Amino acid sequence: MTDASPAPRRARVRAPELIGKGGWLNTGGKQLSLADLRGSIVILDFWTFCCINCLHVLDELRELEERHRDTVVIVGVHSPKFVHEAEHAAVVDAVERYGVHHPVLDDPELATWKQFAVRAWPTLVVIDPEGYVVAQHAGEGHAHAIEKLVGELEAEHAAKGTLRRGDGPYVPPEPEPTVLRFPGKALSLPNGNLLVSDSTRHALVELADDGETVVRRIGSGERGFADGPAEQARFSEPQGLALLPGGTAVVVADTVNHALREVDLTSGAVRTLAGTGRQWWQGSPTSGPAREVDLSSPWDVAWFDGRVWIAMAGVHQLWAYDPAAGTVSVAAGTTNEGLVDGPADEAWFAQPSGLAATQDRLWVADSETSALRYVARGDGDGYTVGTAVGTGLFDFGHRDGAAEQALLQHPLGVTALPDGSVAVSDTYNHALRRYDPVGDEVSTLATDLREPSDAVVVDGDVVVVESARHRLTRLRLPEEAVRVAAAAHRTQRPATEVAPGRLRLDVVFTAPTGQKLDERYGPATRLLVGSTPPELIASGAGQGTDLHRDLTLDPGVGEGVLHVSAMAASCDDDPGNEYPACHVHQQDWGVPVRLTQDGATRLPLVLAGMDENDA
């Protein structure tokens, strides 16, 4: 009998306890502690349900969760950004809506987030069977690295006798018998019926004009990616719907399949128009034959200026599909997350999630900036991007009045109204709002809706998709707006105290076991740094290829937010492999900072691995 190979040496830090005022979900009512999980490999997923990157990570973890179900326990730690996300009922809804099949700790006060010094959504923390933190990963694209680490930990702790195999603590909730389950978007059909994306059940539902009677279902109801007859086709959390010219077919934003699908309204048959089923990553083609180009979480679609425009929530851009040419291409946005207006190719969006076309504008619900944006034709063949309501990533609330000071909270839908104004499905305010371009004012049309995600105009009324009430609600357009008490909020995250003057920014990245940085085609890393307000950084802002940067912070600016975007590409370290497997790791951070004389002079942000100062 030979001795087992020595376990790899890795930094270990004792994991803090898991605490959250909201308690536990998906455990059958049991309150869990780290002691209850001892013997298992624990992966903490710090997420919030508004965040598209967090939803991507949920999908990335599904296969790992299934393959290692007897040794790995994934625990979601829900850490809210918006006020609405701190409501326990909203977290319960989100866990069902997005098919989260593991225990979730509801942490509305960010207690566990602070204990683990988390700085970004999403962040994954790996805890070994003895209760030590052995790795941390921020952003997307880490599933392959965690898979390798899990294999190493299984072998190491099986040899030590510290690995416990068996069923985890997950207890599924009872299913609810409703016609729709977290519907996403709706569309008025030429025959007077309504087509609804039944997102959590992975299907489309055609309802009669009463908004309740089911005419037919399109899709098997099972998560998947398959074309064919209505009863056999498969979707994965479909969202946006758009009628093609001629009125015989509908384009569907099949969000989690990263694809556009087409439904023949006569037969119900489904075919794929665009996308490969793979998620777009930095460096992938941004134009070309539609079936050969990767997409990223298309959330809504609209016919505008001769093409199908796509709210590409996953990469903070707008793309366009040209049915005549059979191509897709980027139409607006840089992939940087934020609120920047100007020429379409220079504009920044933040998770665009709703589209509505008028004759001269494409209106955009830009959810993470809580903004109403628009695209208009510019000089020549170009487009320009503007903002009607909203100021940026960190300010939100419910305030009517002049558009320049009005506030929304994570809107997901936008609807053109007959009088030229725009209705906004103000999702996290549970309201339908109205923007009047003539008066440049915002008012409230209706309240007491539950997470409205879209609305359609039908015979002078507005039919609202009340996503968290699993229904469509018909409203009369009121002649006078509803009056509500104003509220303004900022993202509530603890500010990091840093010293004015020189600040060393270090993005920590360790390539996964068996991989190295991929420098075959140039630098394998990228770092973009900015701030709100811009004056916070006196020097050091901008883009570069090193994952570290010396910044100079202006002592005259007391506080602000550092915006950091990092990317690293790694490939298999095997000289004999002509086609090594490669992976892209990327994350955007918004780090609130407060300048104090005794503050830190170094700011570490972990993309993958462990900060050596924590070891």
Side-chain angles (χ1 to χ4, degrees):
M1 179 176 177
T2 59
D3 292 335
S5 59
R9 293 189 62 185
R10 59 174 67 89
R12 299 201 310 171
V13 178
R14 175 64 72 177
E17 190 51 81
L18 305 177
I19 52 176
K21 189 174 181 180
W24 288 87
L25 289 74
N26 283 354
T27 62
K30 182 179 180 180
Q31 303 299 300
L32 297 180
S33 67
L34 278 178
D36 297 323
L37 304 175
R38 195 63 51 83
S40 298
I41 300 164
V42 178
I43 300 173
L44 302 183
D45 176 16
F46 289 86
W47 70 299
T48 188
F49 62 79
C50 73
C51 162
I52 190 66
N53 311 92
C54 299
L55 304 186
H56 289 167
V57 168
L58 284 175
D59 293 320
E60 288 178 3
L61 293 176
R62 291 187 202 281
E63 289 187 18
L64 183 148
E65 194 168 23
E66 180 62 28
R67 280 196 297 268
H68 299 273
R69 56 169 42 187
D70 64 332
T71 58
V72 171
V73 175
I74 296 176
V75 173
V77 182
H78 190 268
S79 313
K81 171 185 175 180
F82 289 98
V83 170
H84 170 60
E85 293 174 305
E87 297 176 14
H88 183 71
V91 181
V92 172
D93 284 345
V95 167
E96 181 188 352
R97 180 194 297 267
Y98 297 116
V100 180
H101 295 159
H102 51 248
V104 173
L105 175 64
D106 181 11
D107 183 19
E109 297 177 345
L110 303 181
T112 295
W113 166 288
K114 295 171 188 174
Q115 289 272 46
F116 281 83
V118 174
R119 297 186 188 276
W121 298 280
T123 291
L124 298 171
V125 175
V126 182
I127 302 173
D128 73 13
E130 294 178 287
Y132 288 90
V133 174
V134 293
Q136 181 171 324
H137 303 263
E140 304 176 48
H142 300 294
H144 68 289
I146 292 177
E147 178 84 44
K148 288 186 176 181
L149 177 57
V150 164
E152 293 172 3
L153 291 172
E154 286 176 337
E156 175 184 341
H157 288 274
K160 291 172 65 175
T162 50
L163 182 71
R164 182 184 68 198
R165 295 182 180 272
D167 293 335
Y170 170 65
V171 178
E174 290 292 324
E176 297 286 342
T178 56
V179 172
L180 301 172
R181 204 69 191 163
F182 298 104
K185 305 288 185 180
L187 177 68
S188 182
L189 296 175
N191 63 4
N193 291 344
L194 293 161
L195 188 66
V196 185
S197 53
D198 196 14
S199 301
T200 299
R201 291 190 177 139
H202 315 296
L204 310 181
V205 179
E206 184 175 343
L207 301 174
D209 58 5
D210 61 6
E212 298 179 1
T213 305
V214 175
V215 176
R216 61 174 168 173
R217 290 185 175 270
I218 298 170
S220 69
E222 297 292 326
R223 185 191 295 273
F225 190 5
D227 291 341
E231 65 276 7
Q232 297 176 14
R234 290 192 175 194
F235 299 92
S236 188
E237 298 179 33
Q239 287 284 341
L241 307 165
L243 194 66
L244 286 174
T248 62
V250 168
V251 176
V252 182
D254 194 7
T255 304
V256 178
N257 278 328
H258 310 295
L260 294 190
R261 316 290 291 282
E262 182 187 76
V263 175
D264 183 302
L265 289 178
T266 302
S267 66
V270 177
R271 71 184 183 106
T272 300
L273 296 178
T276 62
R278 297 184 299 270
Q279 184 183 340
W280 186 93
W281 290 101
Q282 290 286 352
S284 302
T286 55
S287 64
R291 292 290 303 273
E292 299 175 15
V293 176
D294 299 340
L295 307 180
S296 182
S297 297
W299 206 275
D300 203 4
V301 282
W303 182 263
F304 175 66
D305 210 18
R307 296 183 293 173
V308 175
W309 286 61
I310 310 163
M312 202 72 78
V315 285
H316 317 300
Q317 289 180 311
L318 304 181
W319 287 41
Y321 165 68
D322 185 339
T327 58
V328 290
S329 59
V330 175
T334 64
T335 75
N336 293 325
E337 184 180 14
L339 194 156
V340 176
D341 293 335
D345 60 353
E346 299 175 10
W348 293 22
F349 294 93
Q351 212 168 302
S353 301
L355 300 175
T358 61
Q359 186 172 358
D360 59 350
R361 283 186 176 181
L362 179 70
W363 294 95
V364 183
D366 202 30
S367 61
E368 282 292 284
T369 54
S370 296
L372 174 62
R373 315 281 297 279
Y374 60 85
V375 176
R377 299 180 190 88
D379 297 332
D381 296 330
Y383 297 91
T384 60
V385 175
T387 298
V389 183
T391 59
L393 286 165
F394 301 97
D395 292 291
F396 57 92
H398 192 147
R399 188 163 63 199
D400 288 337
E404 65 180 10
Q405 58 82 58
L407 294 172
L408 309 170
Q409 187 180 177
H410 197 78
L412 290 178
V414 61
T415 307
L417 296 179
D419 63 357
S421 64
V422 179
V424 179
S425 294
D426 194 6
T427 309
Y428 289 1
N429 279 328
H430 309 301
L432 189 67
R433 311 286 292 283
R434 176 179 178 265
Y435 169 67
D436 174 14
V438 177
D440 199 29
E441 289 192 337
V442 175
S443 57
T444 299
L445 294 174
T447 58
D448 193 31
L449 302 168
R450 187 68 183 171
E451 292 193 17
S453 54
D454 197 19
V456 292
V457 177
V458 179
D459 298 330
D461 294 340
V462 172
V463 176
V464 180
V465 179
E466 279 199 89
S467 190
R469 282 199 177 113
H470 320 292
R471 71 187 188 193
L472 304 186
T473 299
R474 194 173 186 120
L475 302 173
R476 289 284 178 187
L477 280 175
E479 294 184 9
E480 291 189 8
V482 177
R483 302 290 180 188
V484 295
H489 308 286
R490 295 213 87 210
T491 299
Q492 296 301 306
R493 277 183 287 164
T496 299
E497 294 192 348
V498 297
R502 182 181 179 275
L503 177 68
R504 173 74 170 191
L505 173 65
D506 285 327
V507 174
V508 178
F509 176 75
T510 303
T513 303
Q515 294 207 330
K516 65 178 181 179
L517 288 175
D518 177 21
E519 297 179 332
R520 293 172 298 164
Y521 308 110
T525 56
R526 186 188 70 176
L527 180 64
L528 176 67
V529 182
S531 66
T532 301
E535 309 83 65
L536 174 63
I537 300 179
S539 67
Q543 186 164 307
T545 57
D546 293 328
L547 290 182
H548 56 82
R549 185 83 56 85
D550 286 327
L551 307 177
T552 303
L553 303 185
D554 187 341
V557 179
E559 60 182 13
V561 178
L562 294 176
H563 304 288
V564 181
S565 178
M567 183 274 289
S570 63
C571 290
D572 290 342
D573 187 9
D574 180 2
N577 185 355
E578 186 177 357
Y579 303 104
C582 298
H583 303 274
V584 175
H585 318 258
Q586 61 186 43
Q587 175 60 18
D588 296 330
W589 290 268
V591 184
V593 295
R594 184 181 302 112
L595 274 57
T596 60
Q597 288 301 322
D598 56 353
T601 57
R602 175 177 180 264
L603 177 61
L605 300 175
V606 178
L607 179 59
M610 293 281 286
D611 181 23
E612 60 184 15
N613 289 9
D614 290 337

